[in-house]
Each structure stands twice: as C-alpha cells, then as structure tokens.
Amino acid sequence: MTSPHARRPIVAANWKMNTGPDDGAELARSVAAQDLPFAQVDVVLCPPATGVAAVAAAVRSTPVAVGAQHVFWEASGAYTGEISVPMLAGLATYAIAGHSERRQLFGETDLDVQRKTLAILSGGLTPIVAVGESLDQRDAGETLGVLRSQVRRVFEALTPAETAACVIAYEPVWAIGTGRNATPEQAQEAIGWIRDIVAATHGQPAANQIRVQYGGSVSPENCEELLSREGIDGALVGGASLDAAKFAAIVRAAAP
Ligand code: PGA
C-alpha cells in the first residue's frame, strides 16, 4: 500500500501575465539561489510563453523545473497565436491545463482541458490540471458535484497510469487572487473528495499516486497550516510567486 508520504510534494509558480524574458530570467535565478529543499520538493516555474526559453536557460544547471501556463493540443498548423507541446521540447517539463482564468476568460471547457492534458502527456510533459468551484457553487453546496464533473470529464480519456502521472491543482475560484484562501479544513476536504473521485474512476492505486496541490492566495503567512495537512501535496502559487523570498518560504513549508 502506498503511504500518503510516498508522494513527492510539488510547488509551482504561476507567474500569469507578468514578466518578460529578462526580468523572468532574473526572478528564476533568484528562486534557484534560495535555500530550498530540492531533495524533497519539486519546484516548478511557469512563466509566460515569451519567457519560457530565457527561464529555462537561467535554471538549466539547477533542480528548478519549467512549466508552460498554456498549450494547444494540436502539434502544429494554422493556429495563430497558439503554442504546442512539441514546441516546448527541451524547455519545459510541465504544463498547466484548465486554470480557472482560462476557463472563465477564454472559454476553455472540460473537453478542451482533456485534449490539452492528453497532448501534454503524449509530449512527455507532466500536466498540472486545475479544477475548482466558484463561490456561488460553494455557497449552494455544489462543490463536490462540480469537482466530480470536472475530474470525470477531464480524466475519462486517460488510463489509470496516465492519470497517476498527472498533478491536480485544487483551486477554488473564490480564493484565486482574492487574498481569501480556503481554510486548511476546506482544502483538505476538497482534496480528499478529488482523490475519492479518482479512486472511483481510475482505481485506488492511481488515487494514491496522483499529486493534488492546493492553489488560491497561498502566502508565506498561510502556507504552513495548509501544506502540513495530510493529502495536500504542495501548492500552485500566483501572486506570492513573483517574489523569490515569499515563494521560497512556501516551497520550504511543503517539505515533509
Ligand atoms: P493566487 O493565484 O496565488 O494569486 O491566488 C493562484 C493561481 O491562480 O494559480
């Protein structure tokens, strides 16, 4: 039986639409220079597309990994403005799919997220699949149902082994960029539900293996109590990740 502690925590920085190549590389260098528990925690930086190559070069000889914030599922062709998974070869080893900003502002559906997740996996990268409920949905008691439908739809085309290789980021929409994080109890409960859903659809071994992060207003002030909870395998960090020292504090809090 896999113990919960067998999962390696992962802390990812989502810089969103901030930084260009030069200041992004600078921020990446200062993250890599922090005293971080690299032996115990996977550390990932997700710059905007124009910064991916510069950030990858800046962290090349360090344990810091690079992720893309967004990809399209086709490999190449007439898709103006899009970036494919093969175009990230040698630069990134992770890619986010289904971030709530992509879902809300750019109309991404669960089916889109499923296609992206499959493309990310088939390109040999690790998907970070974001799911989460809105405030209205939480207030209406619909959180479990929303998570069930998002997780089922995204993962129904994946095998148990593919599912186990993914990272899920539980990000309640009401907690993103609002300064109002989920309580450790709320995050742990929702992540427990996500693992139960994966167990029901893909079996208990996949549910034991898949890493599930929490995201939404994670900060140096609240990271200890969130990340010390069993079942919360790290964090996806927006605002606080633009400050190397703050991000480093969160990475340290994720170490077992
Ligand atoms: P936040 O963003 O930490 O600024 O709330 C988290 C995210 O959107 O991944």
Side-chain angles (χ1 to χ4, degrees), residues 199-217:
T201 56
H202 292 81
Q204 195 63 51
N208 288 344
Q209 257 182 283
I210 191 168
R211 295 183 291 176
V212 188
Q213 306 170 301
Y214 167 74
S217 296

Side-chain angles (χ1 to χ4, degrees), residues 61-85:
S61 56
T62 79
V64 175
V66 179
Q69 294 177 17
H70 169 69
V71 292
F72 187 50
W73 55 80
E74 295 292 346
S76 63
Y79 304 103
T80 302
E82 291 295 323
I83 290 167
S84 73
V85 177

Side-chain angles (χ1 to χ4, degrees), residues 164-202:
C166 292
V167 175
I168 293 179
Y170 168 61
E171 296 209 310
V173 177
W174 48 272
I176 295 177
T178 58
R180 176 185 168 190
N181 59 287
T183 65
E185 292 74 21
Q186 287 171 324
Q188 192 177 31
E189 178 180 53
I191 286 174
W193 285 337
I194 289 170
R195 225 177 273 292
D196 289 346
I197 297 159
V198 172
T201 56
H202 292 81

